[in-house]
């Protein structure tokens, strides 16, 4: 007897089988993986002979023919993916912490023991019927044969149903000890051109620790990360939606992978003559693939203001602008960069950045500890300490928090878990927090990784010291001879190890071993994370975005570039100044922020075809206002003349800084600094007496210009240089002069002009 | 024109098929009862007080008649589906139902809104759900080491979900849909009654056997008094699955656990005459007397209830997970409890105080205390039977039985303990020694019959039964006649039950000849 079915979508011929026992009907399958699986299992359970006339797609191997009794269905390997695919254990349903409707599953099935207990043992086994598997509550609910708030999830004729029923009929065997684990999933294709309207079928292969590989296309989960570019259905069929680069996330049993699609924005372009610079070459290559063209070069004035803000957080003075514009040296931009990297503001500005990341804050550290960490940061940047050394000093710090700056790292958090989380987010760019309570939903990180990392810090102790007096509240960080971390679901102490890395030995400081792993040249995260951060500080958007969320399922917008920069950074010995110099001397950094028709289609400016416009950070803005008005804000408790970028912590009161998004330094996340506009910002600058007072202040810029009795056109030019860092264009000059003439006195007019200039977007934004 | 007339003339009269409730029910379940269910009747914002999850509820006027049989246009249930105004149309905030689904509802009402055959439920749309070939399993009958290996090829047996000893050596157990009565002194089945898979089975002298329905797929939404002489003497029906029941020695009104409620029943009444609804989740265990009842629930608490008023007297809290089993000592002073979380909990019923926890007990599905109050037995999903000395609580012994266990019962003379589990085998053990005396595989269907055997390998079976039985010794098949002559010895099986030490081993059987 011959029954035939055709596998579509692949260069596959016909499939036939002969059944001596009388044959079973084979429904047509849309999904080739499902058809293969169904054939094999039917064959296995009915002792048929199978002849398959076509190779299995992708690998070229013919499917294996099994005979005899098929092995029992494996709970971890075969049932959990089904439950996950059906959505049973998602966060909104039974995967919630307390479950739903009295039925509790672990989120995406990370805890098979719990899931088995809940399905099979809980409610005295009422959810399962061994002798009448199809009558099991666990099936009748998702089939909607009885009321189910989650609706119909399961179809009677599906492979999922067949698998569940067979599992129950086999006696619902539970998770076994020493079960093979899933080591990786592989998706084919990993990257493919996909025009809007086109489609492609993904194929997912699971690799197990016992060497088995398995096609899991049917039960993998698919999510589009970029709905505007590509959509994906539950069977793994990707459909092109729009232009640009798309990404589809594939998840299976705690492992994740990504398939990338791309559709050019326009016809392929050639970006000629964009230069040999590493950054330019690789960006241009991407632009050519995507049919984009870069915006034209920025003017000298634009570049000067931009690079000063990005490297030292400070706007140039009118004299600096004049000198730079007048300089005829063709290498003046490179020379400027070299000069900026040696200025004292460089250390101030990057101390501020890293102070945010390390949460340098007197509420955690006491004023003395805060100053100590601040000074350590400052001296590190003055000395241009390589970042691997920087990280090592921080992680392995010991001693008094009032004397050893980096030791304060261990006072910001209080538990090994805190320190593990911070270290991971800072230096790996990995957000581990999810894995504290359950397997990371989009990543491979498990609770084992989380607690293994925390165990590296298990022996850090602290004790009070009286060196600074009984109430000095000094803390000494030291290493204890013992101390372990326990796993919430497993007995015994957790062995210290790096995420995904080998377990550390017990004889040495665990932190030393962690730091050595972290700063090893082949560490896949450390340099990559730092390069991505510094890229984002210069270009306004990380190659991976958000910048501290590096993971396989968050692909970089230009992977070759990130790779090349990472390699260069490692080769340069983790030298930050060299990295910054490399980035800002690229031509790509020096292009205009204005879109041109050839790159407008990339609305998000994901591919850096133009400079990304950003509002000045709170501290940059405060200093720029000071510079523009020629006054100095006085910050409480600090000497006069202290600038906002020199502030050591976030608790120094300043309304301006607060409303413009100064972070409270409570999280190790870049996201704590906000750039969102709000009404208070506008009102504070438009009609607060704060700005009015600064503009009109005696000894301020306007006052001084009038003291010096400068002619009006010069006053206008000076105000333009002090705010927008450029000279006014002739029409602007005419307009400004006529504005001043309309006012009661030239001085009031000049003040009005300054007020208008600092409220202009050109001043408020880095462009 | 002529053509058209001809066409009209030759067209056969349209056959309008009868549409019954099962067809409509599928649509209502899929689209409506997420909000309109009995459970949500009182939540007016969701259900509006309209309930659509049973035939009876739909036909009962709920404010206004939902269904006027024969008249879809006058039936609210149909009207709300076809309203133009999306705000007033059902399902709320969803696209309208498919035309075919609306037509089905329409036709169901038009053809009289009949209930149809409840057994046909879901067959209306559920396609071939029985595609799974039931595998034949090779079931090895557990016997002693180095003894003969006896195995049967058969479908997976029904689990033994409830059992209880009666008087005069009578044992009753529920395996799948049948209730089996056994004579222990004769070691033979006396009667098999087709009922439903029972979740509980109790015996009360003078009141008969009480059963509670509740196994998934079972139709047992009632408590039945099933007497050996006159089965189905009385039944109480309830809207939900009955989990447990407790007989009343004074009257024939049992108490029973239904969903999260405890009810005190009256024969032939629709529901209990009194209810206690203080538990927030399913009540899974219920024990007690006329004066005091103890209910254990999935909500992790145990309640002590006044048997006459139904008032809650005490809450016994301390379980961190579902409570699955309770047992009360004969003097009523000690309560044992167990559940999903490992541990056997001891409670003082007077004070509600937890006096002891035996962590060694593992998870527990069933607990029994011997009628003399001296021994307790617990059974768990790990397949271990554990015996405990009372009132102290020291563990006497652990008997590994291999299969997840579900129920246990002491005989009235405290000589035997019967245990049932997922493998469908009822095992009779001697309490004093923990020795396994006899195992019984009661097949649930008539044509297969039963078999009982001793650890030594002697067996007895229903004479009429046809058994694909194979016997092997040392890995080699033994010819059936040879094995039968040596091993099928009912007297040896009886002796194993009656005498304390194992009687004798079978004389060696030599493999050879053709199997």
């Amino acid at each position: 007897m011959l029954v035939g079915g055709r596998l579509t979508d692949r260069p596959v011929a016909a499939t036939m089988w002969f059944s001596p026992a009388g044959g079973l009907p084979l429904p047509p399958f849309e999904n080739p993986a499902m058809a293969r699986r169904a054939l094999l299992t039917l064959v296995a359970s009915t002792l048929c002979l199978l002849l398959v006339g076509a190779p299995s797609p992708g690998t070229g191997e013919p499917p294996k023919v099994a005979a005899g009794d098929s092995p029992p269905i494996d709970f971890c390997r075969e049932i959990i993916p089904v439950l996950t695919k059906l959505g049973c254990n998602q966060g909104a349903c039974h995967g919630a912490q307390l479950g739903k409707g009295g039925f509790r599953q672990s989120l995406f099935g990370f805890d098979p023991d719990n899931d088995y207990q809940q399905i099979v043992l809980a409610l005295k086994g009422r959810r399962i019927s061994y002798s009448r598997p199809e009558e099991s509550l666990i099936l009748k609910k998702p089939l909607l044969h009885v009321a189910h708030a989650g609706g119909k999830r399961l179809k009677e004729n599906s492979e999922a149903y067949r698998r569940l029923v067979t599992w129950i009929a086999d006696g619902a065997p539970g998770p076994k000890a020493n079960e093979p684990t899933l080591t990786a999933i592989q998706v084919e294709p990993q990257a493919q051109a996909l025009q809007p309207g086109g489609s492609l079928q993904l194929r997912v292969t699971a690799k197990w620790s016992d060497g088995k590989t398995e096609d899991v296309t049917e039960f993998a989960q698919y999510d589009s990360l970029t709905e505007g570019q590509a959509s994906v259905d539950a069977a793994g069929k990707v459909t092109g939606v729009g232009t640009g680069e798309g990404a589809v996330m594939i998840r299976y049993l705690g492992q994740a992978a990504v398939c990338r699609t791309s559709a050019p924005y326009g016809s392929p372009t050639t970006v000629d003559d964009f230069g040999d610079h590493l950054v330019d070459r690789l960006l241009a290559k991407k632009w050519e693939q995507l049919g984009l063209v870069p915006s034209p070069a920025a003017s000298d004035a634009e570049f000067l203001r931009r690079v000063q803000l990005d490297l030292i957080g400070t706007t140039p003075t009118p004299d600096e602008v004049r000198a730079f514009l007048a300089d005829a040296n063709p290498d003046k931009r490179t020379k400027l960069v070299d000069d900026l990297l040696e200025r004292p503001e460089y250390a101030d500005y990057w101390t501020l950045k890293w102070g945010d990341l390390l949460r340098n804050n007197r509420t955690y550290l006491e004023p003395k500890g805060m100053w100590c960490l601040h000074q350590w940061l400052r001296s590190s940047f003055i000395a241009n300490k390589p970042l691997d050394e920087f990280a090592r000093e921080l992680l392995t710090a010991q001693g008094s928090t009032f004397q050893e700056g980096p030791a304060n790292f261990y006072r910001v958090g209080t538990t090994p878990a805190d320190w593990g989380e911070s270290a991971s987010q800072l230096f790996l760019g990995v957000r581990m927090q999810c894995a504290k309570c359950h397997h990371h939903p989009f990543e491979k990180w498990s609770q084992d990784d989380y607690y293994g990392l925390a165990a590296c810090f298990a022996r850090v102790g602290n004790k009070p010291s009286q060196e600074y007096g009984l109430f000095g509240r000094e803390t000494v960080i030291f290493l204890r001879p013992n101390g372990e971390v326990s796993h919430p679901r497993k007995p015994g102490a957790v062995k210290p190890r790096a995420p995904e890395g080998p377990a550390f030995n017990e004889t040495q400081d665990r932190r030393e071993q962690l730091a050595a792993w972290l700063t090893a040249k082949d560490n896949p995260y450390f340099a990559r994370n730092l390069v991505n951060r510094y890229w984002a500080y210069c270009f306004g958007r990380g190659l991976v975005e958000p910048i501290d969320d590096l993971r396989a399922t968050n692909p970089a917008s230009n992977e070759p570039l990130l790779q090349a920069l990472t390699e260069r950074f490692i080769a340069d010995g983790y030298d930050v100044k060299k990295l910054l110099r490399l980035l800002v001397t690229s031509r790509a950094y020096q292009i205009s922020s204005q879109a041109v028709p050839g790159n407008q289609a990339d609305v998000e400016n994901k591919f850096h075809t133009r400079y990304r416009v950003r509002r000045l950070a709170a501290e940059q803005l405060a200093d720029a206002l000071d510079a523009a008005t020629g006054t100095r804000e006085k910050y409480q408790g600090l000497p006069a003349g202290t600038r906002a970028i020199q502030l050591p912590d976030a608790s120094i009161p300043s309304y301006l800084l607060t409303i413009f998004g100064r972070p409270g330094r409570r999280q190790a996340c870049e996201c704590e600094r906000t750039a969102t506009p709000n009404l208070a910002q506008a009102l504070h600058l438009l009609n607060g007496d704060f700005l009015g007072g600064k503009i009109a202040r005696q000894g301020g810029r306007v006052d001084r210009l009038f003291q010096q009795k400068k002619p009006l056109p010069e006053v206008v030019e000076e105000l333009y240089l002090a705010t927008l860092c450029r000279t006014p264009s002739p029409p602007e000059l005419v307009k400004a002069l006529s504005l001043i003439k309309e006012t009661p006195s030239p001085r009031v007019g000049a003040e009005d002009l300054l007020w208008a200039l600092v409220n202009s977007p050109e001043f408020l934004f880095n462009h | 024109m002529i053509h058209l007339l001809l066409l009209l003339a030759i067209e056969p009269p349209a056959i309008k098929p009868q549409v019954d409730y099962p067809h409509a029910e599928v649509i209502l379940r899929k689209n409506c009862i997420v909000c309109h269910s009995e459970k949500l009747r009182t939540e007016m914002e969701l259900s509006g007080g309209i309930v659509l999850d049973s035939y009876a509820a739909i036909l009962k006027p709920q404010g206004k008649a939902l269904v006027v049989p024969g008249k879809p246009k006058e039936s609210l249930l149909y009207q709300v589906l076809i309203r133009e105004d999306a705000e007033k149309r059902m399902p709320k905030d969803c696209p309208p139902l498919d035309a075919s689904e609306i037509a089905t509802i329409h036709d169901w009402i038009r053809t009289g809104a009949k209930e149809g055959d409840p057994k046909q439920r879901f067959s209306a749309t559920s396609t071939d759900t029985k595609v799974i070939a039931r595998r034949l399993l090779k079931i090895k009958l557990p016997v002693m080491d180095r003894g003969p290996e006896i195995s049967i090829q058969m479908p997976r047996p029904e689990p033994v979900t409830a059992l209880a000893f009666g008087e005069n050596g009578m044992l009753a157990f529920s395996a799948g849909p049948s209730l089996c009565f056994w004579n222990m002194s004769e070691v033979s089945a006396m009667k098999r009654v087709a009922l439903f898979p029972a979740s509980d089975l109790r015996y009360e002298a003078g009141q008969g056997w009480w059963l509670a329905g509740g196994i998934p797929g079972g139709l047992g939404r009632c408590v039945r008094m099933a007497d050996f002489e006159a089965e189905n003497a009385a039944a109480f029906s309830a809207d939900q699955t009955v989990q447990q029941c407790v007989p009343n020695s004074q009257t024939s009104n049992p108490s029973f656990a239904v969903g999260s409620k405890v009810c005190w029943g009256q024969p032939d009444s629709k529901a209990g005459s009194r209810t206690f609804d203080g538990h927030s989740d399913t009540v899974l265990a219920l024990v007690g007397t006329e004066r005091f009842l103890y209910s254990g629930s999935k909500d992790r608490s145990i309640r002590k209830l006044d048997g006459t008023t139904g008032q809650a007297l005490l809450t016994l809290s301390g379980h961190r997970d579902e409570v699955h089993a309770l047992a009360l000592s004969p003097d009523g002073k000690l309560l044992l409890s167990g559940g999903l979380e490992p541990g056997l909990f001891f409670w003082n019923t007077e004070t509600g105080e937890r006096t002891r926890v035996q962590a060694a007990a593992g998870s527990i599905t069933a607990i029994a205390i011997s009628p003399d109050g001296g021994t307790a037995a617990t059974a768990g999903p790990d397949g271990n039977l554990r015996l405990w000395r009372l009132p102290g609580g020291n563990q006497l012994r652990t008997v590994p039985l291999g299969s997840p266990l579900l129920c246990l019962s002491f005989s009235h003379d405290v000589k035997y303990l019967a245990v049932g589990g997922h493998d469908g085998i009822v095992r009779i053990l001697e309490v004093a020694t923990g020795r396994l005396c006899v195992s019984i595989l009661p097949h649930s269907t008539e044509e297969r019959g039963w078999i009982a055997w001793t650890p030594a390998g002697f067996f007895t079976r229903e004479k009429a039964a046809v058994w694909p039985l194979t016997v092997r010794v040392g890995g080699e098949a033994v010819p059936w006649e040879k094995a039968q002559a040596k091993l099928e010895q009912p007297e040896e099986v009886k002796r194993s039950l009656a005498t304390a030490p194992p009687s004798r081993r079978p004389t060696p059987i030599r493999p050879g000849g053709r199997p």
Side-chain angles (χ1 to χ4, degrees), chain A residues 70 102 104 117 121-124 126 130-132 134 144-147 156-157 161 165-166 169-171, chain B residues 29-30 33 122 126-127 129 132 134-135 156 158-159 177 216 243-244 284 298 300 322 324 340 381 422:
Chain A
S70 57
R104 189 180 73 234
Q117 187 194 49
L121 305 180
L123 263 179
K124 281 171 127 175
R126 216 167 68 88
Y130 292 94
S131 48
R132 289 181 180 70
E134 2 14 284
L144 263 190
H145 285 182
V146 293
E156 285 88 347
N157 258 344
Y161 178 80
V165 174
T166 313
D170 279 343
Chain B
R29 279 195 185 281
K30 200 166 110 191
I33 64 159
F122 312 122
S126 68
T127 41
T129 56
I132 312 304
R134 196 60 55 72
R135 284 194 217 183
R156 182 173 293 279
E158 301 277 0
Q243 286 287 346
Q244 294 267 292
L284 294 168
K298 186 171 181 286
R300 308 168 184 198
E322 303 175 4
H324 282 178
L340 212 49
H422 272 312

Side-chain angles (χ1 to χ4, degrees), chain B residues 8-73:
Chain B
L8 285 172
I10 59 168
E11 189 186 328
I15 302 162
K16 302 225 164 159
Q18 174 71 30
V19 177
D20 286 338
Y21 178 60
H23 295 87
E25 187 185 14
V26 173
I27 297 162
L28 298 176
R29 279 195 185 281
K30 200 166 110 191
N31 300 291
C32 314
I33 64 159
V34 166
C35 301
H36 297 291
S37 70
E38 188 62 52
K39 224 195 263 176
L40 301 174
R41 184 193 285 277
T42 51
E43 291 192 34
M44 297 300 283
E45 282 183 12
L46 281 175
S47 68
I50 306 272
V51 174
L52 297 174
D53 56 359
S54 72
Y55 180 75
I58 296 169
L59 267 280
K60 201 164 78 184
Q62 304 183 13
K64 185 182 168 190
L66 290 180
V67 165
V68 182
K71 293 175 181 167
K73 298 227 164 79

Side-chain angles (χ1 to χ4, degrees), chain B residues 360-392:
Chain B
S363 297
I364 287 174
T365 50
I367 311 177
I369 295 181
S370 63
D372 64 358
T375 317
T378 60
D382 59 355
N384 286 326
L385 174 77
R386 292 182 174 89
L387 292 171
W388 312 83
R389 190 195 306 282
L390 292 186

Side-chain angles (χ1 to χ4, degrees), chain A residues 47-216:
Chain A
L47 285 169
C48 302
L49 174 66
L50 174 71
L51 299 174
V52 179
S56 166
T59 60
E61 295 164 8
K64 291 188 187 82
V65 179
D69 276 341
S70 57
I73 303 271
D74 184 307
F75 183 74
C76 299
R77 203 147 148 167
E78 297 179 86
I79 297 299
I80 295 236
V82 171
L83 299 176
T84 309
K85 181 76 177 184
L86 297 178
C88 311
N89 55 23
Q90 59 185 312
C93 296
H94 302 293
Q97 197 191 357
L98 298 172
K100 268 270 165 26
F103 180 45
R104 189 180 73 234
Q105 294 280 284
S106 61
L107 187 64
F108 300 126
F110 74 92
D111 185 359
D113 290 326
N114 167 73
D115 298 350
Y116 177 77
Q117 187 194 49
Q118 285 292 313
I119 293 171
V120 176
L121 305 180
L123 263 179
K124 281 171 127 175
R126 216 167 68 88
R127 296 191 171 107
I128 291 280
S129 171
Y130 292 94
S131 48
R132 289 181 180 70
E134 2 14 284
E135 297 285 352
S136 299
L137 198 59
I138 198 88
L139 297 172
K140 287 169 80 176
K141 279 273 184 182
L143 284 169
L144 263 190
H145 285 182
V146 293
H148 183 219
K152 189 167 171 89
R153 293 263 158 193
L154 184 61
K155 293 203 178 93
E156 285 88 347
N157 258 344
S158 62
E159 162 68 7
Y161 178 80
R162 192 204 64 79
R163 211 183 258 194
L164 287 167
V165 174
T166 313
W167 173 64
I168 299 167
D170 279 343
K176 296 188 283 274
N178 304 322
E179 192 106 33
T181 51
L182 182 66
T183 50
I185 59 170
Q186 210 169 50
V187 57
E188 287 172 52
Q190 289 181 345
Q192 181 140 342
L194 184 66
Q195 290 300 330
S199 69
L200 77 107
Q201 173 65 46
L202 299 177
R203 183 180 176 223
V204 186
T205 311
K207 289 190 192 312
W208 296 88
S209 58
D210 60 359
K212 266 191 199 161
T213 59
E214 185 187 1
D215 186 322
V216 295

Side-chain angles (χ1 to χ4, degrees), chain A residues 309-374:
Chain A
L309 281 169
D310 283 343
L311 291 188
I312 61 171
T314 307
T315 46
T317 62
D319 290 340
E320 284 168 347
V321 179
R322 276 193 210 97
F324 187 68
L325 295 184
D327 192 346
N329 185 347
D331 280 341
K332 65 178 176 180
R333 291 192 180 192
T334 312
K335 192 176 163 298
L336 171 71
V337 170
D338 290 337
D339 292 345
L340 289 178
L341 290 174
E342 296 312 317
R343 278 175 56 166
E345 294 99 320
Y346 169 83
D348 293 335
Y349 182 59
W350 293 100
T351 300
L352 177 76
K353 278 263 186 217
W354 279 90
D356 287 350
L357 293 178
L358 295 174
R359 291 178 281 173
N360 190 8
N361 195 324
R362 73 183 68 196
T363 37
Y364 299 139
L365 306 177
E366 301 297 320
K368 281 201 181 77
M370 181 272 293
W371 277 111
C372 186
L373 178 56
H374 181 79

